[in-house]
Amino acid sequence: LKDSSEFLFQLHKFNLTQQEKIDNIILVSWDVVAMFPSIDNAMGLEACQDLLEKRDVLFPSTTSILDATRITLENNISYFNNVAYVQNNGTAMGPHNACSYADIAMHPIDQIINNNKDYEIALWCRFKDDIFCPWIMGIEKLHEFHAWINSLSPKIKFTMNFAEDPLEGIEYLDTRVYIKESFIHTTLFTKPSDTHAYLNPNSCHPKHVCSNIPQGVAKRIKRICSEESEYLK
């Protein structure tokens, strides 16, 4: 996924094409445990190489990009109590390439999951380490599937959360996803720690920046809330 807007678009398509199954689905989310430091360097570099070799224009060379990536992976140094530590596996979260690298490294696992014919995966949405799936094969198969995806890699592990009450739903990204009247709905979700602090209008920013904030926030809430009653809350 690129962002929550694409997630909403994928849900809209699911509602249109899978509506006859919605009453029987289980809303599920997974989290990749400590994804960035858990990605094995060899696995990540192999995934990068496979993707880079598929470019129409192989410049810069695949070798040079892989060498640069390897430098960032093998030279992440941090200090604690005057002791220097070198991270020997996984990627740090600070480098500019970290998010793209982690997404590429996870792509082969996404493909294995989506190509497994033993499980009917109607929708698999992953944004970084957060995954959403409307599960349609029952609770026993869900636990079996969870155990299986945790066997795909010795270091990449998934924790699972699912909605026991479809109307209550589950949180995913900045949305709460729930089922009502045979339709998957979304509404706004914010963490309890969110102070909803925005730019002070007395700041030195151009006036149009401050004046556009309420409009942007309203548009975002309108986009996320599939029911008018939720938008008006």
Side-chain angles (χ1 to χ4, degrees):
L1 292 176
K2 295 179 181 178
D3 49 30
S4 60
S5 294
E6 186 182 357
F7 171 63
L8 296 172
F9 177 71
Q10 295 295 336
L11 273 188
H12 176 68
K13 289 201 302 183
F14 184 88
N15 277 321
L16 293 177
T17 60
Q18 307 286 338
Q19 189 169 15
E20 73 281 357
K21 301 177 181 179
I22 288 179
D23 286 335
N24 298 317
I25 69 172
I26 303 172
L27 299 173
V28 188
S29 67
W30 280 275
D31 182 76
V32 184
V33 180
M35 183 177 76
F36 284 73
S38 298
I39 296 171
D40 181 73
N41 287 358
M43 180 186 81
L45 290 170
E46 181 180 356
C48 289
Q49 181 174 1
D50 290 342
L51 190 63
L52 288 167
E53 289 297 327
K54 295 177 181 178
R55 293 176 295 163
D56 293 330
V57 179
L58 296 178
F59 180 83
S61 69
T62 297
T63 301
S64 64
I65 297 175
L66 290 176
D67 286 345
T69 304
R70 190 176 290 105
I71 290 171
T72 66
L73 294 174
E74 296 177 354
N75 292 275
N76 177 39
I77 302 172
S78 58
Y79 291 87
F80 182 74
N81 285 344
N82 295 321
V83 178
Y85 297 88
V86 178
Q87 184 172 344
N88 57 22
N89 214 8
T91 179
M93 297 181 66
H96 294 301
N97 68 327
C99 288
S100 298
Y101 170 79
D103 279 336
I104 293 170
M106 286 295 298
H107 181 63
I109 293 178
D110 291 334
Q111 286 186 312
I112 292 172
I113 291 171
N114 281 294
N115 292 335
N116 190 328
K117 303 304 181 183
D118 293 333
Y119 304 102
E120 187 176 356
I121 308 297
L123 182 65
W124 181 263
C125 295
R126 182 177 63 81
F127 180 80
K128 302 295 183 282
D129 58 350
D130 295 316
I131 300 160
F132 171 84
C133 175
W135 185 259
I136 59 180
M137 297 185 68
I139 191 68
E140 290 186 9
K141 274 287 187 180
L142 174 60
H143 288 294
E144 177 187 305
F145 175 78
H146 184 209
W148 174 69
I149 62 175
N150 273 326
S151 71
L152 295 177
S153 169
K155 294 184 178 181
I156 301 296
K157 302 301 176 183
F158 301 81
T159 58
M160 180 178 68
N161 180 41
F162 62 90
E164 297 183 2
D165 180 0
L167 187 60
E168 183 66 24
I170 59 171
E171 295 83 27
Y172 182 69
L173 304 181
D174 57 349
T175 73
R176 180 172 65 85
V177 187
Y178 61 99
I179 298 175
K180 182 179 178 182
E181 298 176 352
S182 302
F183 200 85
I184 299 180
H185 289 277
T186 54
T187 188
L188 182 68
F189 168 73
T190 58
K191 294 183 178 180
S193 58
D194 190 347
T195 61
H196 304 285
Y198 298 101
L199 187 65
N200 191 316
N202 295 321
S203 71
C204 294
H205 287 76
K207 289 186 178 180
H208 72 272
V209 174
C210 294
S211 61
N212 284 341
I213 290 176
Q215 182 181 13
V217 171
K219 284 183 176 179
R220 171 173 165 262
I221 297 173
K222 181 67 174 178
R223 181 177 65 248
I224 290 174
C225 296
S226 57
E227 292 190 288
E228 186 72 13
S229 59
E230 290 291 324
Y231 171 66
L232 295 175
K233 283 184 179 180

